[in-house]
Amino acid sequence: MRTGLRWKLSAAIALVGALVAVALSLVVHNAARVSMLDNSRDLADERIQVAQRMYESGRTQAFGVKVDDPGIPRDLLARVKQGRRATYVAEGLHGVPDIWAAVPLKDGRVLSLQTTFTDRSASVMNDLDEALLIGSIAVVLGGSAIGVLIGGQMSRRLRKAAAAANRVAMGETEVRVRDAIGGVVRDETDDLARAVDAMAEALQQRIEAERRVTADIAHELRTPVTGLLTAAELLPPGRPTELVLDRAKAMRTLVEDVLEVARLDGASERAELQDIMLGQFVTRRVAVKDAGVEVTVVHESAVTTDPRRLERVLFNLLANAARHGRPPVRVSVEGRVIRVRDHGPGFPEKLLEEGPSRFRTGSPDRAGRGHGLGLTIAAGQARVLGARLTFRNVRAPGAPGSAPAQGALAVLWLPEHAPTSTGSYPMLPRSAP
């Protein structure tokens, strides 16, 4: 069961408050009862002394004292037989204590006095118990309220820290967790925020260094690869020349793709926005790329996006379907959603779980061709567009998840509003296919 920090803290404070209140109530109740019984015994002792003097002087007995009362408690009688004046508290009817006082007389008999715990004392105890109960309830409620306030403050700070950390994880490198949580009071949450900020900054520096190295290497390779391709074109016609040209072109494509990935990783790319009719745009571009691909426009929609980047995403999805899937390859446009489906073995499970990864071409039945940057570039360009690119495998209705896929489906969700910065994603329902 998942509960918030404020309720856990409130419950803990309320529990501690309840335990303390109960303990104090018991102590106060017992102390008050003992004090009242002591007062009653002192009063009984004073009365028995007065009664003793009156009895020994021959005057009438007072206060209802008795001589050799058969009901006197044995413990009290034993002490009096030792020649000592004593008082005693015995349990009476209905739990009301009886107060006894006894004194030995000169003639060897015992003079005793029996009184009960007065109604006034019992009323005082009842009032005290009621006050203690009300005080205990007030302490528990007050502690719970304080727990909610303190826990709510801590919970808000932690939620802000989590939200800021998620933004950092999504690529917003300018976000700082410490600035996000704010506040004047410094506590362990601030230490955690500073540690997360330091970790994010260190990771960002490392990623930026790796990106810079990759871009520098690719940039340095561009010139010799271009020269190699030019030299290959000067070779005499023949099969060896075709092989050299093919490999040189593949190397040039790889270098260009690596440079593009490095630029996308740098989060400095910005979309050049234009208003287009999405269905018409996709239909024309697909016809240029591969006339054999079927395009269906379910619902036309006007969108504001970057046509060049959108074309790059679309062509990479088509190239992936042609390379790793099987025909027929179909493209559908519905509003702001573009779907590209093939009828091959489907996407690898790792790609579905973790997303596209550079230089990973998938499972053995989809490997051996390409260098694994196509979907990575498509996802990066979609991010610049503020769009979301999802992947899933198509199976027969009712088929278990372990059943072989009947095709791969890539879905590009364009945002309702034009992107203002890289890395923005539209909010989509979880049940969307």
Side-chain angles (χ1 to χ4, degrees), residues 48 99 110 120 132 157 184 193 237 268-269 367 370 388 401 430:
I48 199 66
I99 311 299
V110 175
R120 182 174 178 276
L132 291 174
R157 287 166 64 84
V184 178
S268 59
E269 296 288 286
R388 183 184 177 195
R430 291 182 179 273

Side-chain angles (χ1 to χ4, degrees), residues 187-336:
D187 54 19
E188 289 80 0
T189 309
D190 295 87
D191 298 336
L192 175 62
R194 291 190 181 92
V196 173
D197 288 339
M199 179 184 66
E201 188 171 351
L203 289 175
Q204 182 62 30
Q205 291 176 356
R206 181 173 178 178
I207 292 173
E208 180 63 22
E210 293 177 353
R211 184 196 67 81
R212 213 175 276 127
V213 169
T214 302
D216 291 343
I217 293 175
H219 189 272
E220 292 299 323
L221 286 175
R222 176 186 284 177
T223 300
V225 168
T226 302
L228 177 62
L229 183 60
T230 303
E233 291 175 348
L234 299 177
L235 295 175
R239 182 59 180 168
T241 301
E242 294 177 0
L243 293 175
V244 171
L245 282 173
D246 180 69
R247 292 299 87 196
K249 290 178 181 178
M251 186 176 293
R252 182 179 63 179
T253 301
L254 174 60
V255 170
E256 295 296 334
D257 287 348
V258 170
L259 280 173
E260 186 172 359
V261 170
R263 289 195 300 270
L264 293 172
D265 287 345
S268 59
E269 296 288 286
R270 293 294 182 270
E272 299 178 3
L273 304 177
Q274 296 181 23
D275 294 329
I276 61 172
M277 300 302 295
L278 187 60
Q280 298 178 9
F281 177 86
V282 172
T283 301
R284 288 196 300 267
R285 293 303 189 273
V286 171
V288 172
K289 177 68 175 178
D290 188 349
V293 175
E294 177 185 347
V295 180
T296 303
V297 180
V298 179
H299 175 66
E300 181 65 278
S301 176
V303 298
T304 303
T305 187
D306 187 330
R308 181 182 65 83
R309 297 183 188 277
L310 178 59
E311 179 184 87
R312 180 69 162 146
V313 175
L314 181 61
F315 282 5
N316 279 20
L317 295 179
L318 291 174
N320 184 80
R323 181 179 296 115
H324 302 296
R326 299 192 189 99
V329 177
R330 296 192 177 98
V331 178
S332 65
V333 180
E334 184 175 358
R336 299 174 178 275

Side-chain angles (χ1 to χ4, degrees), residues 72-83:
I72 188 171
R74 293 182 179 180
D75 293 340
L76 177 61
L77 183 60
R79 180 162 297 194
V80 174
K81 289 295 184 180
Q82 297 173 0

Side-chain angles (χ1 to χ4, degrees), residues 40-94:
S40 298
R41 294 174 71 172
D42 291 341
L43 179 60
D45 184 60
E46 292 176 0
R47 287 179 176 179
I48 199 66
Q49 292 183 63
V50 173
Q52 180 187 12
R53 289 193 295 268
M54 292 177 65
Y55 180 83
E56 291 177 345
S57 64
R59 286 180 287 179
T60 306
Q61 297 180 15
F63 308 121
V65 296
K66 296 179 181 180
V67 178
D68 292 336
D69 186 354
I72 188 171
R74 293 182 179 180
D75 293 340
L76 177 61
L77 183 60
R79 180 162 297 194
V80 174
K81 289 295 184 180
Q82 297 173 0
R84 301 169 59 184
R85 188 180 73 251
T87 59
Y88 186 81
V89 178
E91 193 69 28
L93 296 176
H94 309 294

Side-chain angles (χ1 to χ4, degrees), residues 1 10 16 22 113 149 157 276 333 336-337 342 357 398 402:
M1 183 176 64
S10 175
V16 173
V22 170
L113 169 67
L149 292 176
R157 287 166 64 84
I276 61 172
V333 180
R336 299 174 178 275
V337 181
D342 63 53
S357 178
S402 58

Side-chain angles (χ1 to χ4, degrees), residues 149-169:
L149 292 176
I150 298 176
Q153 179 67 18
M154 295 178 61
S155 181
R156 279 192 298 272
R157 287 166 64 84
L158 290 174
R159 284 198 301 269
K160 289 180 180 179
N166 286 330
R167 292 173 62 189
V168 172

